C-alpha cells in the first residue's frame, strides 16, 4: 500500500508553494511559478511534480488543503460579479453615504468610503417592509415589491443579489422570505442575506460586507468547481479544504457559501505556519514578516496565539469579517524601484510579479526590483535561486539597477544598497504599525522570517526595531503552505446582543449563546465527524454610548461570570487605551468559535545531509560599507544541530537565502531552526 500523503498549496503573486507530509512526518517542498490568469495550471503542474518527488500515485493523497487570494483579487482587479441589492424602502443610499470619516485627512480629492463600484445606484432596489429597533415587525414584507425588484435586477443581468434590511439582525424573517423568492425566480442566482453573513448592528457595515460576499460568490464558486475538477482529473480523491481569513479550515463547499471569509486566506496560512514554528521552538512571542514576490505580510503572535481582529480593509474599504490581523505592505522581492518627482528613491507598490518578473529572470522585465538589487549586492547566487530551478542573469539585474543609479548620481552598487535600505525601512515601519502603535513593545519579541525574501531582510529590520533574536525556520519560503497542514478545522458565528452587563440574566445569556453554538455545530457537522471539538465564547463589549468595542473572553454563563465581564472589560480598556472608568458596560455582540482539536503533529524530522556545510565564499556589499567583503557561504541543508554561523555570512537553501549580518551569530536548534542572535559587540 502506498504511503498516504497530505498536500498543502498556497498560490502567491509570484510563486505557488507546495508542501507534502507523509505518515512518518517527512516534509517535502516545492515552488513553481504562478500562472497568472489561470492559476489552476500551476496547481496541476505542482501536484504532478510533488507526486513524482514523493513517488506515489494521486490516489495516495489523503488530504488536500488550499490557500487562495482569488476573492481578494476579484475586488482589487474589479473582476467581481455584477451584483444587485435589496434594501428597506427609504434606505437605498445608506450604502453610498457610508461613514463620516476620511482615511486620508489631507487629500484634496475625496474618494467615497463605500465601495460604490459594487452597487451603483440603479442596482440598489427598495422593497416595502420594516422592522423596528426592538425587532418588532412594523410593516410586513410586500412580496410583490420583492418580485418586481428581482425582475428588474435580472433584466440588468446581475449574477448575485445581496439582501440587507433594516434591523434584520434582530428579526431575520423578512430577509429569509426575500431569499426564498429570489431562489424561486432565479435558481442559479447567488444570494447573500445579511442575517447570515453578518447578523450584527451598524447598517452600513452590515450592508457592505453582505455586498462583498455576494459579489465574489459566483467567482469563488467557479474557482472552487474548477479546482475540484482539476483534482478529479489528476486522480486526487481527497476532499478539498480551504483556509479562512481567521486561520481555520473549512470544506470547499462551505467556503464557497461564505466567500467573504476568504479575503485573507493566503496570509492567514503564513501566520498559522509561524505559530507552529514558535510552538516547536518554545518561543511564544513572535513578530512575523512574510516577504513574498509582491508584498510583505506582517503579523504578531503573542502567547502562541495570533492576533485576530473582527474587521479589516480590502482595497481601503471596511469589511467586517473576522481575520488574522495582518498588515500587508507593497514591498516584496518583485517590488519595482522608481524615482519620484522630487528625485527621491521609492519602492512599490507596483510589482514585476512572476511574469515578466524581475529583470534578472530574463523574461522580458526591465524595471529594477528588490531581487535585482539582491543579485547586484551578491546576496543571491544566480545559479541557486529557487534551488537552481531558475537560473538568474546578473547582467540584466545590473542593467536595471543602473537606471536608478544614473538618476541618483550613484554607482550601481550604491543604488542597490539604497533599494535594500528603502525596502528594510518600509518593512520596519510596517512592524511599528503592528506593534509600537498598538501599545506593544517589540523588543522582547523574536522576529520570524517567512517567505522567499524574509531572511534576506530579517537582521536589518530587527536592528531597526531593537529586536535581538531572528528566527529562520527550516523551510521559510513555503511556510504558508506548511501552515495549511497545521491549521485546524474551525467555524465562527456572531450575533447581536445589545444589553448592559447589569441587565443581562444568565437565562437569556445562555439562550443567545446556545443559538450561535447551534449555527457553529451545523457548520461543523458538514465537515464530517470529529472526536473532539473545543468551544470558545467571547463578547464584544463597550461603555454605554461608546462606538468601538473590545473582545472579552467568556469563561461560562453563570451570574458570577457575567459580572466578571464588567471587571475584565475595565481592565482591558485601561490596557488598550490607558484609562478606564466604572461606567456601565454594554455587551454588543456574542461570539462562538468551534474548533476541531486535532492530534498534535510532530515537528518535521530534522535530518541534515552529509554534504560539507561550508559551500565556499563570495564577495558581497554589506550595508554601511563601501567595498565588497568576502563572506562564508553555508549550505543550510548540511548544518547540524548545535552548529554556529558567525556573521557576516550567507546561508543558502532551496527556498530562501539568509543574510547573517555583522555582529550576529546563528545557531541551529534540535528542530532545525536557525536562530540569529545579536552579539554583545553588535548591540547598539
Amino acid at each position: 500500500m502506498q504511503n498516504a500523503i497530505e498536500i498543502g498549496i498556497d498560490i502567491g503573486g509570484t510563486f505557488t508553494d507546495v508542501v507534502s507530509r507523509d505518515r512518518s512526518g517527512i516534509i517535502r517542498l516545492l515552488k513553481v511559478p504562478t500562472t497568472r490568469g489561470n492559476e489552476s495550471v500551476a496547481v496541476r503542474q505542482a501536484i504532478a511534480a510533488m507526486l513524482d518527488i514523493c513517488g506515489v500515485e494521486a490516489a495516495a493523497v489523503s488530504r488536500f488543503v488550499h490557500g487562495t487570494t482569488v476573492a481578494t483579487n476579484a475586488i482589487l482587479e474589479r473582476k467581481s460579479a455584477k451584483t444587485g441589492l435589496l434594501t428597506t424602502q427609504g434606505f437605498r443610499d445608506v450604502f453610498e453615504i457610508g461613514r463620516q470619516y476620511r482615511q486620508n485627512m489631507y487629500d484634496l480629492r475625496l474618494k467615497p468610503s463605500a465601495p460604490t463600484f459594487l452597487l451603483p445606484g440603479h442596482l440598489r432596489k427598495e422593497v416595502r417592509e420594516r422592522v423596528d429597533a426592538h425587532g418588532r415587525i412594523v410593516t410586513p414584507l410586500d412580496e410583490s415589491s420583492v418580485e418586481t425588484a428581482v425582475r428588474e435586477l435580472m433584466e440588468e443581468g446581475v449574477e448575485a443579489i445581496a439582501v440587507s434590511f433594516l434591523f434584520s439582525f434582530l428579526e431575520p424573517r423578512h430577509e429569509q422570505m426575500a431569499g426564498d423568492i429570489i431562489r424561486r425566480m432565479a435558481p442559479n442566482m447567488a444570494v447573500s442575506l445579511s442575517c447570515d453573513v453578518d447578523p450584527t448592528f451598524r447598517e452600513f457595515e452590515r450592508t457592505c460586507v453582505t455586498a462583498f460576499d455576494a459579489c465574489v460568490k459566483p467567482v469563488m464558486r467557479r474557482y472552487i468547481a474548477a479546482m475540484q475538477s482539476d483534482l478529479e482529473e489528476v486522480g486526487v480523491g481527497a476532499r478539498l479544504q480551504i483556509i479562512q481569513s481567521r486561520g481555520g479550515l473549512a470544506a470547499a463547499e462551505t467556503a464557497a457559501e461564505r466567500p467573504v471569509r476568504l479575503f485573507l486566506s493566503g496570509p492567514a496560512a503564513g501566520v498559522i505556519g509561524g505559530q507552529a514554528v514558535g510552538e516547536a521552538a518554545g518561543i511564544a512571542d513572535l513578530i512575523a514578516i512574510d516577504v513574498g514576490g509582491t508584498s510583505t505580510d506582517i503579523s504578531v503572535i503573542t502567547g502562541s496565539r495570533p492576533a485576530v481582529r473582527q474587521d479589516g480593509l480590502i482595497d481601503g474599504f471596511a469589511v467586517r469579517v473576522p481575520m488574522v490581523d495582518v498588515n500587508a505592505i507593497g514591498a516584496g522581492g518583485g517590488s519595482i524601484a522608481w524615482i519620484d518627482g522630487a528625485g527621491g528613491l521609492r519602492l512599490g507598490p507596483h510589482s514585476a510579479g512572476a511574469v515578466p518578473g524581475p529583470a534578472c529572470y530574463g523574461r522580458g522585465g526591465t524595471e529594477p526590483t528588490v531581487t535585482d538589487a539582491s543579485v547586484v549586492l551578491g546576496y543571491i547566487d544566480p545559479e541557486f535561486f529557487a534551488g537552481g530551478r531558475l537560473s538568474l542573469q546578473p547582467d540584466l539585474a545590473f542593467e536595471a539597477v543602473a537606471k536608478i543609479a544614473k538618476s541618483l548620481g550613484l554607482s550601481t552598487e550604491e543604488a542597490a544598497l539604497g533599494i535594500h535600505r528603502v525596502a528594510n525601512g518600509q518593512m520596519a515601519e510596517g512592524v511599528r504599525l503592528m506593534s509600537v502603535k498598538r501599545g506593544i513593545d517589540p523588543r522582547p519579541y523574536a522576529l520570524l522570517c517567512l517567505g522567499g525574501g524574509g531572511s534576506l531582510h530579517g537582521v536589518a529590520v530587527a536592528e531597526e526595531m531593537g529586536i535581538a533574536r531572528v528566527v529562520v525556520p527550516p523551510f521559510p519560503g513555503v511556510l504558508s503552505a506548511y501552515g495549511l497542514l497545521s491549521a485546524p478545522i474551525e467555524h465562527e458565528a456572531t450575533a447581536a446582543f445589545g444589553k448592559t452587563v447589569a441587565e443581562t440574566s444568565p437565562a437569556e445569556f445562555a439562550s443567545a449563546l446556545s443559538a450561535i453554538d447551534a449555527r457553529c455545530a451545523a457548520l461543523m457537522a458538514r465537515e464530517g465527524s470529529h472526536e473532539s471539538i473545543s468551544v470558545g465564547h467571547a463578547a464584544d463589549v463597550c461603555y454605554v454610548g461608546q462606538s468601538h468595542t473590545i473582545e472579552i473572553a467568556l469563561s461560562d454563563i453563570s451570574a458570577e461570570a457575567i459580572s466578571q465581564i464588567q471587571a475584565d472589560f475595565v481592565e482591558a480598556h485601561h490596557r488598550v487605551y490607558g484609562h478606564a472608568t466604572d461606567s456601565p458596560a454594554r455587551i454588543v455582540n456574542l461570539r462562538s468559535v468551534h474548533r476541531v482539536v486535532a492530534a498534535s503533529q510532530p515537528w518535521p524530522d530534522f535530518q541534515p545531509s552529509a554534504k560539507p556545510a561550508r559551500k565556499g565564499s563570495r564577495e558581497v556589499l554589506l550595508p554601511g560599507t563601501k567595498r565588497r567583503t568576502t563572506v562564508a557561504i553555508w549550505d543550510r541543508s548540511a548544518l547540524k544541530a548545535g552548529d554556529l554561523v558567525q556573521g557576516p555570512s550567507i546561508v543558502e537553501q532551496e527556498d530562501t537565502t539568509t543574510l547573517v549580518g555583522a555582529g550576529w551569530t546563528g545557531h541551529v536548534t534540535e528542530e532545525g531552526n536557525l536562530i540569529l542572535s545579536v552579539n554583545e559587540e553588535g548591540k547598539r
Side-chain angles (χ1 to χ4, degrees):
M1 181 178 177
Q2 296 185 77
N3 185 15
I5 65 170
E6 301 173 325
I7 291 180
I9 290 187
D10 177 53
I11 300 177
T14 303
F15 285 101
T16 293
D17 299 335
V18 191
V19 169
S20 73
R21 178 173 60 199
D22 64 19
R23 287 175 176 171
S24 59
I26 295 176
I27 294 290
R28 294 179 175 88
L29 322 173
L30 181 65
K31 294 176 80 74
V32 299
T34 296
T35 49
R36 289 289 186 92
N38 189 1
E39 291 84 355
S40 64
V41 173
V43 171
R44 288 196 299 269
Q45 293 172 347
I47 293 173
M50 183 56 77
L51 293 175
D52 185 57
I53 291 172
C54 297
V56 298
E57 300 293 333
V61 179
S62 61
R63 188 164 169 247
F64 191 91
V65 192
H66 180 40
T68 176
T69 57
V70 169
T72 305
N73 291 342
I75 299 300
L76 298 179
E77 299 171 7
R78 304 294 190 262
K79 293 181 179 178
S80 55
K82 189 175 184 179
T83 304
L85 172 70
L86 300 188
T87 190
T88 303
Q89 190 173 49
F91 289 86
R92 70 188 292 270
D93 290 329
V94 164
F95 179 78
E96 190 158 352
I97 293 169
R99 289 287 170 195
Q100 294 184 7
Y101 61 77
R102 291 169 61 178
Q103 294 285 348
N104 300 299
M105 290 294 293
Y106 303 106
D107 279 1
L108 296 179
R109 291 186 178 181
L110 299 183
K111 298 178 181 179
S113 61
T116 50
F117 67 92
L118 289 181
L119 297 173
H122 70 286
L123 296 182
R124 301 196 297 265
K125 305 294 183 180
E126 298 179 351
V127 300
R128 288 185 294 277
E129 70 86 39
R130 188 63 182 268
V131 173
D132 69 12
H134 300 285
R136 297 185 294 246
I137 295 177
V138 177
T139 302
L141 178 69
D142 182 345
E143 296 188 19
S144 64
S145 70
V146 176
E147 292 172 350
T148 299
V150 172
R151 193 174 297 112
E152 291 174 353
L153 290 174
M154 291 171 63
E155 291 172 356
E156 291 285 352
V158 301
E159 293 183 73
I161 296 178
V163 183
S164 182
F165 294 158
L166 202 64
F167 297 113
S168 63
F169 58 90
L170 298 176
E171 172 51 80
R173 277 184 290 175
H174 284 178
E175 282 196 0
Q176 292 166 347
M177 291 168 64
D180 291 339
I181 293 171
I182 296 169
R183 296 183 187 98
R184 172 172 53 81
M185 296 180 64
N188 296 323
M189 184 74 69
V191 181
S192 293
L193 309 180
S194 76
C195 61
D196 295 331
V197 176
D198 183 31
T200 57
F201 94 121
R202 292 184 185 274
E203 192 72 7
F204 165 65
E205 285 82 358
R206 183 162 53 86
T207 303
C208 194
V209 71
T210 306
F212 273 118
D213 188 80
C215 77
V216 298
K217 190 168 285 184
V219 177
M220 287 307 302
R221 282 179 176 174
R222 289 191 291 267
Y223 177 80
I224 288 175
M227 177 70 72
Q228 291 175 321
S229 176
D230 287 342
L231 293 178
E232 292 175 5
E233 186 178 322
V234 298
V236 174
R239 190 179 191 185
L240 174 62
Q241 294 178 310
I242 295 180
I243 192 166
Q244 303 173 93
S245 301
R246 187 184 165 92
L249 299 176
E253 298 80 7
T254 303
E257 293 176 7
R258 304 178 356 141
V260 76
R261 294 172 178 268
L262 303 178
F263 274 149
L264 220 63
S265 172
V271 179
I272 300 302
Q275 179 186 14
V277 171
E279 291 174 349
I283 302 175
D285 299 330
L286 295 160
I287 296 175
I289 58 168
D290 187 348
V291 183
T294 305
S295 63
T296 293
D297 297 326
I298 302 166
S299 57
V300 177
I301 299 170
T302 303
S304 297
R305 297 190 64 180
V308 175
R309 57 184 303 171
Q310 300 307 317
D311 54 21
L313 294 175
I314 299 297
D315 199 21
F317 301 113
V319 180
R320 191 167 59 183
V321 65
M323 56 181 64
V324 172
D325 198 358
V326 174
N327 177 32
I329 62 174
S335 295
I336 295 172
W338 52 283
I339 304 297
D340 64 18
L345 177 60
R346 303 287 296 276
L347 185 68
H350 302 294
S351 171
V355 179
C360 60
Y361 281 17
R363 295 174 174 169
T366 59
E367 300 297 325
T369 66
V370 176
T371 298
D372 292 312
S374 299
V375 172
V376 169
L377 296 172
Y379 301 160
I380 294 177
D381 181 356
E383 301 301 321
F384 194 66
F385 187 71
R389 284 186 293 274
L390 180 59
S391 182
L392 304 182
Q393 300 182 33
D395 55 330
L396 297 180
F398 274 86
E399 287 179 16
V401 176
K403 299 176 185 178
I404 293 290
K406 184 178 180 180
S407 300
L408 296 173
L410 301 173
S411 69
T412 302
E413 291 181 332
E414 288 172 333
L417 275 178
I419 292 172
H420 256 255
R421 186 173 180 180
V422 172
N424 295 335
Q426 290 182 190
M427 293 175 194
E429 183 59 25
V431 171
R432 287 190 188 93
L433 285 172
M434 294 295 289
S435 58
V436 177
K437 294 189 177 181
R438 301 188 181 187
I440 298 173
D441 183 356
R443 291 173 295 184
Y445 282 66
L447 190 72
L448 176 65
C449 298
L450 312 179
S455 52
L456 262 181
H457 302 271
V459 165
V461 174
E463 289 179 340
E464 181 79 15
M465 300 304 303
I467 295 173
R469 278 192 303 174
V470 174
V471 181
V472 184
F475 36 87
V478 293
L479 197 64
S480 289
Y482 179 79
L484 294 170
L485 300 182
S486 304
I489 296 173
E490 179 186 275
H491 287 291
E492 176 266 354
T494 302
F497 189 69
K499 291 182 179 291
T500 66
V501 173
E503 295 172 339
T504 301
S505 70
E508 63 183 341
F509 200 65
S511 176
L513 287 175
S514 176
I516 56 176
D517 276 340
R519 287 164 53 195
C520 284
L523 291 168
M524 275 295 185
R526 298 176 62 179
E527 302 289 344
S529 60
H530 298 282
E531 294 182 0
S532 181
I533 296 177
S534 69
V535 177
H537 298 120
D540 294 332
V541 186
C542 66
Y543 286 119
V544 172
Q546 197 175 30
S547 296
H548 300 286
T549 62
I550 297 176
E551 184 178 85
I552 303 298
L554 305 177
S555 54
D556 56 58
I557 56 175
S558 64
E560 294 77 12
I562 295 171
S563 298
Q564 186 64 32
I565 293 174
Q566 174 86 32
D568 290 346
F569 170 71
V570 170
E571 179 185 347
H573 196 281
H574 189 276
R575 184 177 66 252
V576 174
Y577 297 111
H579 64 91
T581 71
D582 291 327
S583 301
R586 181 169 177 263
I587 302 172
V588 179
N589 302 313
L590 293 175
R591 182 170 299 106
S592 176
V593 179
H594 289 210
R595 180 184 296 113
V596 172
V597 181
S600 60
Q601 295 288 346
W603 185 249
D605 286 340
F606 170 50
Q607 298 291 340
S609 71
K611 297 183 295 185
R614 176 75 179 266
K615 293 180 66 173
S617 61
R618 188 161 67 239
E619 290 188 347
V620 303
L621 187 62
L622 297 169
T625 63
K626 295 184 179 297
R627 295 187 181 88
R628 288 187 176 259
T629 302
T630 301
V631 302
I633 308 298
W634 299 91
D635 184 346
R636 176 75 183 272
S637 68
L639 290 173
K640 303 182 295 298
D643 282 352
L644 296 179
V645 176
Q646 296 291 342
S649 60
I650 287 175
V651 181
E652 295 180 340
Q653 61 190 93
E654 186 172 344
D655 58 337
T656 194
T657 298
T658 302
L659 178 61
V660 184
W664 289 73
T665 299
H667 74 276
V668 182
T669 67
E670 293 293 334
E671 302 82 23
N673 290 309
L674 179 62
I675 310 291
L676 309 181
S677 304
V678 63
N679 305 332
E680 287 298 323
E681 61 272 19
K683 292 181 180 178
R684 294 184 177 180

